[in-house]
């Protein structure tokens, strides 16, 4: 007769397998759908449970936020405010929130005691950017996502080689992660922006491509990849939010 521990383990394995099969089936279906249909199906599917959107309110964020607002405007939207964001990003957040009718935007910031302990001079981004991203972004995201079962994000496969292989639905630790725009091209994003007359991030017209924290974001030159302005000169391409 199996012990309790053996049966617990068997149950756990069965649950993991079931989740993996469901994710595979969703990915097969979602690859053929428009992002709006993906979002519509996901918010109604109990598999995703309580869902939030995580947005940087950056250069291309308006597209996902517009889609979410058109499907379910009460969806919680989390902005991780690292306390190192451009003032223009916070103004843009305010503008988009009101123009799109997003009803539940939550600003998640690092704990004062963590900043005082690990980055009292505010210069950690220069000496240890990975640690800075952990304190100011990933730990904050973990706390912000704690009440939720799943989250949506706006990454696209065309943005980088790391992102080129991501799935629309993934497991992310204890959460399910949904990336409805994964297979959209840069042209489709631009066309959607234009069709819906979405306001651009104010820094785009000043030469920025991808917009994050001000110490780690620089302008991009003609012909450069948009994300090349992030952590320029470092062997770092992601903040750690997308593990
Ligand atoms: S992007 Fe730069 S400033 Fe922002 S959290 Fe990461 S290292 Fe710190």
């Amino acid at each position: 007769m199996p012990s309790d521990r053996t049966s617990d383990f068997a149950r756990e394995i069965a649950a993991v397998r079931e989740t993996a099969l469901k994710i595979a089936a969703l990915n097969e279906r979602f690859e053929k759908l428009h992002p709006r249909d993906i979002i519509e199906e996901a918010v109604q599917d109990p598999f995703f449970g309580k869902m939030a959107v995580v947005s940087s309110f950056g250069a291309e964020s308006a597209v996902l936020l517009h889609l979410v607002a058109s499907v379910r405007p009460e969806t919680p939207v989390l902005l991780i405010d690292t306390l190192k964001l451009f003032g223009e990003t916070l103004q843009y957040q305010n503008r988009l929130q009101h123009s799109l009718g997003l009803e539940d935007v939550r600003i998640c910031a690092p704990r004062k005691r963590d900043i005082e302990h690990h980055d009292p001079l505010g210069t950690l981004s220069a000496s240890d950017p990975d640690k800075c991203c952990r304190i100011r972004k990933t730990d904050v995201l973990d706390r912000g996502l704690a009440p939720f079962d799943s989250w949506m994000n706006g990454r696209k496969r065309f943005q980088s080689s790391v992102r080129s292989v991501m799935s629309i639905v993934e497991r992310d630790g204890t959460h399910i992660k949904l990336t409805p725009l994964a297979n959209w091209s840069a042209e489709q994003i631009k066309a959607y922006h234009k069709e819906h007359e979405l306001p651009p991030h104010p820094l785009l017209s000043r030469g920025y491509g991808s917009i994050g924290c001000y110490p780690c974001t620089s302008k991009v030159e003609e012909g450069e990849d948009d994300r090349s302005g992030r952590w320029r000169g470092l062997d770092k391409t992601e903040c750690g939010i997308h593990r």
Side-chain angles (χ1 to χ4, degrees):
M1 200 152 138
S3 71
D4 283 353
R5 279 179 71 180
T6 310
S7 357
D8 285 351
F9 185 64
R11 266 195 295 274
E12 218 172 286
I13 294 290
V16 169
R17 190 161 181 275
E18 200 180 314
T19 302
L21 289 172
K22 171 78 180 177
I23 288 175
L26 284 171
N27 274 319
E28 199 180 339
R29 176 166 173 69
F30 285 176
E31 282 294 336
K32 299 173 213 128
L33 297 186
H34 186 283
R36 179 180 290 105
D37 299 327
I38 295 175
I39 296 170
E40 253 168 18
E41 288 202 12
V43 296
Q44 290 173 46
D45 187 336
F47 177 71
F48 289 92
K50 278 180 71 182
M51 183 182 274
V53 179
V54 175
S55 176
S56 64
F57 287 83
E60 290 165 348
S61 298
V63 173
L64 179 64
L65 294 172
H66 182 270
L67 287 164
V68 169
S70 67
V71 172
R72 195 157 79 174
E74 67 272 29
T75 307
V77 178
L78 313 186
L79 166 65
I80 309 301
D81 180 2
T82 60
L83 309 179
K84 295 278 186 186
L85 295 180
F86 288 94
E88 286 86 345
T89 297
L90 297 172
Q91 288 158 14
Y92 188 52
Q93 168 256 312
N94 196 35
R95 181 174 179 200
L96 275 186
Q97 174 179 347
H98 292 103
S99 63
L100 301 181
L102 295 165
E103 295 171 12
D104 188 4
V105 175
R106 306 179 188 187
I107 312 289
C108 307
R111 288 188 294 225
K112 194 164 172 261
R113 66 169 186 268
D114 289 339
I115 297 296
E116 282 172 355
H117 182 68
H118 296 288
D119 193 12
L121 302 177
T123 53
L124 192 60
S125 60
S127 57
D128 192 343
D130 287 338
K131 187 173 177 186
C132 185
C133 278
R134 180 166 61 73
I135 292 156
R136 293 179 183 270
K137 283 192 180 180
T138 53
D139 287 356
V140 180
L141 178 73
D142 288 345
R143 286 194 292 275
L145 284 178
F148 298 98
D149 305 301
S150 62
W151 61 292
M152 235 184 276
N153 71 98
R155 290 171 304 154
K156 276 78 63 183
R157 290 190 183 123
F158 71 79
Q159 289 175 312
S160 69
S161 54
V162 172
R163 295 185 177 189
S164 67
V165 292
M166 68 191 172
S167 300
I168 295 175
V169 185
E170 299 164 295
R171 245 201 116 116
D172 177 37
T174 55
H175 290 81
I176 300 296
K177 183 155 69 169
L178 179 68
T179 310
L181 296 170
N183 62 17
W184 263 20
S185 64
E187 289 68 35
Q188 283 173 298
I189 296 290
K190 276 194 193 109
Y192 190 95
H193 246 278
K194 199 167 168 199
E195 184 189 348
H196 296 279
E197 298 179 342
L198 299 175
H201 190 293
L203 291 179
L204 281 179
S205 60
R206 285 162 46 190
Y208 290 88
S210 171
I211 298 151
C213 297
Y214 60 81
C216 305
T217 305
S218 57
K219 296 181 183 183
V220 288
E221 299 296 329
E222 186 83 33
E224 272 191 321
D225 196 79
D226 276 349
R227 284 188 67 83
S228 61
R230 305 286 294 275
W231 303 286
R232 194 181 280 283
L234 297 180
D235 187 23
K236 179 173 170 71
T237 56
E238 297 281 350
C239 60
I241 276 180
H242 300 292
R243 290 161 276 223

